[in-house]
Amino acid sequence: MDDMVTDTRRDSATQALYDKLEDRCLMRDQKGASDVYYELVKAGRPLNEIVAEGVRIHAPYTHVPYHERIDDGYPNFVNNDHCLLSARATINLTKMVPSNLAMLPMAQTIWYIPTGLDIWNQKINKAPGHYTRHRGNMELDEKPPAPVVYWPDQEAAKLSGPLKERLNDWMTLVHRGNVIDAYRHFLGLMENPAERNDVLAEMCFAGLIDVQDRLLHNRSYTTGHKAYRARSTVELGNALGWEKSHNVIYAGALDIAVGPRWYSTYEVACNYVKMMIEGEALHAVPYGGVSEAELAILRNKEPVNQEEAAELITAILRQGEIEVLEVLTKLLKAGKDPRRLIDVTQLAVAQIVLETQDQTAFNMPHHCYEYQNTLAWFYDTFDHPRRLRLLYVAALFANRVAYHQQGLGEVHPIPQQVPSGASSLSASQLLQRVDDAICALNGPESIAWTQAYCDNVSDRTPLVQTIALAASKLGNDPHNQEIAQCMLMDFGTNRQPDRDKLLLAASYHTAMHRKYGDPLEPARRFGKALGYAELQ
């Protein structure tokens, strides 16, 4: 099925199915919404149409007033939406899994949407959903409370002046938390197709600079989620067509200005570049713009050798912020390509993932990995003039996560023992064992069999497909699909010789991170409804 074919023809039966899908989602009925999805697949509706309808349904209900609450003097985190992120992972995983199962990843998104609405009320146990699971409030209520629209959709604000000034005005509104004005300005900025690429780049940049300055023993944090939401907006808008993506913009762009906002790590990057790249002493005066010295570094093209990579990885994993800043700057001044240094930070965070054993302790490592992936995508997608500073943010974020895991006691040796007799098995037998280990949620065995495949088979493409399919089978939390998809995507772009570590991490994380309920239920239901015996 061609997932990029746009078919706008709607007969009454198709429209009735989408109306029913919306009703079941708003009723928080995972099984009912999934049954409608199966009917849409049987009717041959194209994936991009179904994605667009899913976003239309959830967009008004996946915003929150603020991503933190103060409840009787206690700060409490209010999570970020994953419905949009799940759809983004879907359009990429669809290309990775076997073609006959191309609609399975979207089945996971549809399964999740009913549980992802009105996170604010979920957090205070006033609505059913994903974030009330641990309270046991997941039973279907025949009349659940209607999800709340905290930020209604808006009309575009008509803007004038040079694009740079309009983008600066928008960023100021974001910085100050003027959510509605920022959103209206953004809609106005998106109206000119000739300017759209620069506007989207600035939205993603605004998300990437928003990473807080500490993690250990915090529960309120913004682990780059606004960047992931912005990136999802871009990828979905590109896939669906911007003329049909207003709901995508509403779902993704508005949240950029919602508080809290954390820019202190980005400020460190700005100041360190000013001092160490530009050679300027800081003073108590306003700074702005991008210097020629900074732009020159972005033109570096030297590869990063293994010795240099090891030095940076050691600084990130085992040393402090000063060492990370110094090593990174030394490599940049030596002509190393900033984009290739992101390859190294990806391997560092993959190492953190592989060293984690408690299923509840993957939250920081896997969000940090998604940041590294999103930054690499940002470099490959946009020619943003301030992207060098984001490399510092990514490295400092990774260092902070490494310290966080040390504080939790989650720095463990990586199990590397390859099963005996693995060399006598065929490639297909090895792949079956990889799939079995992941779906059995056995992390050590998933590493062992993935390593066994890498040791004995040179073609990595079937392994990528196997891990992607295993991730697509596991539901109840989009992290199953999101993080694996990020790691598999990076395996295809990372140029470090030991990038197989990304495949090990994808396999291990998919098996290990915390699951909810029966994670194979949505895949089994999809298989039974569509007649795929391998999923039942």
Side-chain angles (χ1 to χ4, degrees):
M1 185 174 295
D2 186 354
D3 60 332
M4 292 298 108
V5 172
T6 300
D7 188 344
T8 58
R9 294 170 296 175
R10 292 286 184 86
D11 56 26
S12 58
T14 300
Q15 188 57 52
L17 283 175
Y18 284 121
D19 290 343
K20 187 176 180 182
L21 179 64
E22 181 172 11
D23 173 73
R24 290 299 87 199
C25 287
L26 297 187
M27 289 295 289
R28 320 317 205 272
D29 181 1
Q30 289 179 284
K31 297 175 184 177
S34 295
D35 287 341
V36 178
Y37 174 68
Y38 309 149
E39 292 185 62
L40 289 164
V41 174
K42 290 175 182 177
R45 304 314 300 178
L47 177 60
N48 65 325
E49 178 188 276
I50 301 173
V51 168
E53 287 294 324
V55 175
R56 176 190 64 79
I57 290 166
H58 74 65
Y61 311 112
T62 50
H63 295 294
V64 299
Y66 208 74
H67 287 291
E68 187 178 59
R69 304 171 58 93
I70 298 291
D71 296 312
D72 194 20
Y74 205 110
N76 286 302
F77 179 47
V78 181
N79 300 69
N80 299 79
D81 165 56
H82 273 275
C83 296
L84 197 71
L85 276 61
S86 182
R88 184 204 70 80
T90 282
I91 64 172
N92 292 311
L93 282 169
T94 295
K95 303 165 189 174
M96 295 181 178
V97 300
S99 58
N100 65 313
L101 296 176
M103 299 301 277
L104 173 60
M106 188 60 192
Q108 297 291 2
T109 299
I110 295 295
W111 181 262
Y112 180 79
I113 287 174
T115 75
L117 307 183
D118 196 356
I119 298 169
W120 185 267
N121 276 318
Q122 287 192 44
K123 296 294 283 190
I124 54 177
N125 210 30
K126 290 185 177 180
H130 181 73
Y131 298 98
T132 56
R133 291 177 192 274
H134 66 284
R135 298 187 180 97
N137 187 12
M138 275 300 295
E139 294 300 317
L140 177 63
D141 188 334
E142 290 300 318
K143 291 185 178 179
V148 177
V149 178
Y150 295 102
W151 301 106
D153 204 353
Q154 302 291 317
E155 296 293 327
K158 304 300 181 183
L159 307 174
S160 60
L163 178 60
K164 183 177 180 180
E165 290 182 7
R166 286 178 279 137
L167 289 175
N168 283 335
D169 289 343
W170 173 76
M171 185 69 82
T172 298
L173 292 169
V174 169
H175 189 194
R176 294 176 180 175
N178 294 338
V179 178
I180 293 298
D181 287 343
Y183 177 52
R184 294 186 67 232
H185 276 59
F186 189 82
L187 292 175
L189 287 163
M190 285 290 288
E191 288 184 338
N192 184 351
E195 298 175 338
R196 191 170 289 152
N197 194 66
D198 289 337
V199 173
L200 293 171
E202 195 70 4
M203 175 184 65
C204 294
F205 174 76
L208 285 160
I209 67 175
D210 192 348
V211 178
Q212 86 271 20
D213 55 1
R214 61 158 293 108
L215 297 175
L216 186 60
H217 300 313
N218 273 43
R219 295 190 312 136
S220 293
Y221 31 67
T222 174
T223 49
H225 247 285
K226 290 180 182 177
Y228 316 147
R229 206 162 176 175
R231 185 254 192 95
S232 298
T233 303
V234 174
E235 290 201 80
L236 290 172
N238 286 339
L240 304 179
W242 287 104
E243 70 283 357
K244 300 176 182 178
S245 293
H246 176 81
N247 291 313
V248 172
I249 297 170
Y250 178 31
L254 183 149
D255 185 64
I256 297 293
V258 174
R261 292 161 303 283
W262 309 74
Y263 301 124
S264 57
T265 301
Y266 176 68
E267 184 186 0
V268 171
C270 291
N271 291 338
Y272 209 79
V273 167
K274 179 68 65 179
M275 293 185 295
M276 301 303 176
I277 300 295
E278 299 175 26
E280 183 173 334
L282 290 178
H283 302 285
V285 297
Y287 292 95
V290 182
S291 71
E292 176 53 36
E294 183 175 352
L295 295 175
I297 293 289
L298 286 171
R299 296 191 288 269
N300 287 358
K301 293 301 179 185
E302 287 294 319
V304 184
N305 65 40
Q306 287 186 281
E307 182 180 350
E308 292 162 337
E311 182 181 16
L312 180 56
I313 289 172
T314 298
I316 289 172
L317 297 183
R318 310 301 180 216
Q319 298 175 348
E321 288 191 349
I322 293 298
E323 289 83 0
V324 172
L325 291 167
E326 290 176 346
V327 171
L328 190 55
T329 303
K330 182 181 73 171
L331 294 173
L332 290 169
K333 285 186 172 183
K336 303 305 172 181
D337 186 341
R339 174 61 183 87
R340 305 282 57 102
L341 286 165
I342 299 173
D343 292 349
V344 179
T345 65
Q346 289 173 353
L347 295 179
V349 182
Q351 179 79 13
I352 298 173
V353 169
L354 290 166
E355 290 180 354
T356 301
Q357 291 185 1
D358 187 333
Q359 66 169 354
T360 67
F362 285 91
N363 195 40
M364 289 305 153
H366 72 211
H367 280 108
C368 186
Y369 190 88
E370 190 162 7
Y371 189 94
Q372 313 303 315
N373 167 263
T374 301
L375 181 58
W377 168 85
F378 184 72
Y379 265 70
D380 294 342
T381 306
F382 299 110
D383 188 29
H384 196 284
R386 293 183 291 277
R387 65 191 183 277
L388 177 66
R389 304 170 198 180
L390 299 173
L391 176 58
Y392 282 92
V393 176
L396 290 173
F397 185 10
N399 178 249
R400 202 166 295 149
V401 170
Y403 177 76
H404 176 271
Q405 297 304 95
Q406 292 170 30
L408 297 182
E410 284 296 322
V411 181
H412 303 285
I414 301 172
Q416 289 284 0
Q417 186 173 356
V418 174
S420 59
S423 61
S424 66
L425 299 178
S426 68
S428 61
Q429 289 173 319
L430 290 169
L431 292 173
Q432 185 60 56
R433 282 160 174 75
V434 171
D435 180 79
D436 290 344
I438 295 174
C439 292
L441 312 185
N442 190 322
E445 285 197 7
S446 73
I447 291 179
W449 287 112
T450 302
Q451 186 64 61
Y453 181 93
C454 291
D455 289 347
N456 291 283
V457 184
S458 60
D459 185 2
R460 299 292 188 261
T461 302
L463 178 59
V464 169
Q465 185 180 81
T466 295
I467 298 171
L469 180 57
S472 298
K473 292 179 189 178
L474 293 168
N476 286 328
D477 186 342
H479 283 127
N480 293 302
Q481 294 84 45
E482 282 176 64
I483 308 305
Q485 185 270 313
C486 288
M487 292 172 172
L488 296 176
M489 173 186 176
D490 289 334
F491 175 76
T493 60
N494 194 296
R495 296 183 189 171
Q496 283 294 303
D498 52 346
R499 61 185 176 275
D500 279 351
K501 182 176 289 187
L502 302 178
L503 298 177
L504 297 175
S507 178
Y508 180 69
H509 175 270
T510 304
M512 282 293 292
H513 92 91
R514 177 167 43 188
K515 304 298 187 293
Y516 300 88
D518 177 0
L520 290 170
E521 179 181 358
R524 282 199 300 266
R525 288 180 175 275
F526 177 83
K528 183 176 181 180
L530 278 299
Y532 295 114
E534 64 267 42
L535 298 179
Q536 298 179 47

